[in-house]
Amino acid sequence: GEDVEQSLFLSVREGDSSVINCTYTDSSSTYLYWYKQEPGAGLQLLTYIFSNMDMKQDQRLTVLLNKKDKHLSLRIADTQTGDSAIYFCAERRNQAGTALIFGKGTTLSVSS
Amino acid sequence: GAVVSQHPSRVICKSGTSVKIECRSLDFQATTMFWYRQFPKQSLMLMATSNEGSKATYEQGVEKDKFLINHASLTLSTLTVTSAHPEDSSFYICSASGRSNQPQHFGDGTRLSIL
């Protein structure tokens, strides 16, 4: 498809793991990103993965990449209420230069 | 980490006013800066890409005479919304990247409200 697809909502309990999924569009995309946006704020880069990697872990965050299926996931371990935000998946397509293509964002709601 | 500063954070003004938004990279040289627009509960839509010292490249459907972009130095890009109207009200976000394989870092956005 033409769009980067994400589920729109995810609700978890504090302490549980959250998994946010994304399907991107271009198998030749070089970098895939996860950004976090809190209400009224800009985007904060959480992590990114190069296309020749399958997995990247950074503290509570784990990114899994399945190039065959063009599927990207972000796992947040021990989710906290402060993790409540919108999470955007983005890909950098070769033909677009360095411009990023964003999904519509997944709103993560963490309840205590 | 890389810091991008965007000013102002919020603007409320009357229809017909021109509004300038600044985007600065504070601790790195940004060869490329990007301007996005975000509607409520929507994703970011790329408006234009600007490279230092050259004309901006606008996405299809974005009026270049309406949204003037200047990237005069490696640390500063400006977006001017000329003769703004209520339909221009939106959240505008800039981002900057250094070398081509570096991730983009975003400013905190500007909430523009045209009355």
Side-chain angles (χ1 to χ4, degrees), chain B residues 87-100:
Chain B
E87 59 266 27
D88 299 322
S89 298
S90 191
F91 192 53
Y92 293 87
I93 307 177
C94 73
S95 71
S97 66
R99 296 193 306 272
S100 61

Side-chain angles (χ1 to χ4, degrees), chain B residues 21-93:
Chain B
I21 303 169
E22 288 189 352
C23 181
R24 292 181 186 273
S25 57
L26 297 185
D27 55 355
F28 67 102
Q29 292 187 323
T31 52
T32 308
M33 286 186 170
F34 304 88
W35 289 95
Y36 294 86
R37 183 173 180 176
Q38 185 181 31
F39 292 102
K41 301 191 187 303
Q42 296 289 319
S43 185
L44 279 72
M45 300 300 296
L46 179 67
M47 297 175 66
T49 302
S50 78
N51 292 295
E52 185 263 338
S54 60
K55 288 186 179 180
T57 302
Y58 290 82
E59 295 299 299
Q60 192 173 10
V62 178
E63 299 175 59
K64 61 181 180 182
D65 295 330
K66 174 77 169 173
F67 299 99
L68 300 178
I69 291 172
N70 183 281
H71 192 163
S73 77
L74 284 171
T75 59
L76 174 64
S77 176
T78 60
L79 167 67
T80 301
V81 183
T82 61
S83 187
H85 291 283
E87 59 266 27
D88 299 322
S89 298
S90 191
F91 192 53
Y92 293 87
I93 307 177

